[in-house]
Amino acid sequence: MSVQDEIRRLTAPDIRARKGGEPIVALTSYHAHTARLVDKYCDVILVGDSLGMVMHGLETTVPVTLDMMILQGHAVMRGSRHALVVVDMPFGSYEESKEQAFRNAARVMKETGCGAIKVEGGRRLAETIAFLAERGVPVMGHIGLTPQMIQVMGGFKTQGRTEAEWPAIEADARAIAGAGAFAVVLEGMAEPLAAKITREIAIPTIGIGASAQCDGQILVMEDMLGLNPNPPKFVRQYASLGAEIEEAVQAYARDVRARTFPGKENVYTMKKAG
Ligand code: KIV
């Protein structure tokens, strides 16, 4: 039996079964090298449309295209073997109709080999989620602060900070769970509301700026590594790679200018004649 046969990738039903159990560890990744590292410790790798802001310097996720998601989704699949890889459906690729959503989700699954897709939105997507799930597309939901709706929301605003907002968000969570999503991301919402939703619905909740009571947590990898100069309040930084990279680049520039790089160990000698 080959090593690859021994390693079984986690599936959407595996993650669904973790409701109320061992916390689900999720992180974003957009590249093969980082996926290889994340894969060792995480249950879920999300190829998030945040790649538009993180990799491409866009101001929002709105301009991200299906082709961008497929390219990076494929890279992450090549770099990982164990985690469930979930690819975000970008703005405009699923909202028009359930048929459009299925066509594009099927393309993402065929061309990347990923195990699930993620869509943003609550009750308005329940019919679409059921349509996809019934046709072989595992769906992760995403409610609360939904960055693709940024132009309607008027900014990255935390949701549910007054109790008057709670019933609508709870109804979104129930609708998604009832429609057959295997998990739902709760982003940028008041902590007690995220904890309440986690208690109330039957599928795992994965929090980002939500609550430690969620069934799992997710962060954007570049945020927790210290590569974002302005990380949101909900990020805990586990490294300061921005500063480390700057130091390394500075040292490299110094060595090139002083002609101390490349050194003897970095150049090729001639083969001995004869
Ligand atoms: O695009 C993304 O990275 C996400 C996470 C923030 C959940 O959707």
Side-chain angles (χ1 to χ4, degrees), residues 59-74:
E59 284 198 4
T60 73
T61 57
V62 171
V64 172
T65 66
L66 205 57
D67 287 340
M68 287 160 87
M69 298 308 304
I70 289 173
L71 196 61
Q72 303 321 131
H74 200 188

Side-chain angles (χ1 to χ4, degrees), residues 28 30 46 48-50 88 118 120 142 185 187 208 218 220:
T28 63
Y30 320 124
L46 173 69
D49 62 353
S50 54
D88 251 341
K118 175 164 82 59
E120 293 184 11
H142 182 157
V185 169
E187 177 167 359
I208 173 163
I218 185 162
V220 170

Side-chain angles (χ1 to χ4, degrees), residues 120-121 124 142-159 169 172 187-188:
E120 293 184 11
R124 70 185 165 85
H142 182 157
I143 60 168
L145 196 169
T146 46
Q148 292 177 11
M149 294 293 278
I150 197 78
Q151 307 295 359
V152 175
M153 287 179 159
F156 291 97
K157 290 185 182 147
T158 309
Q159 305 293 298
I169 303 172
D172 282 343
E187 177 167 359

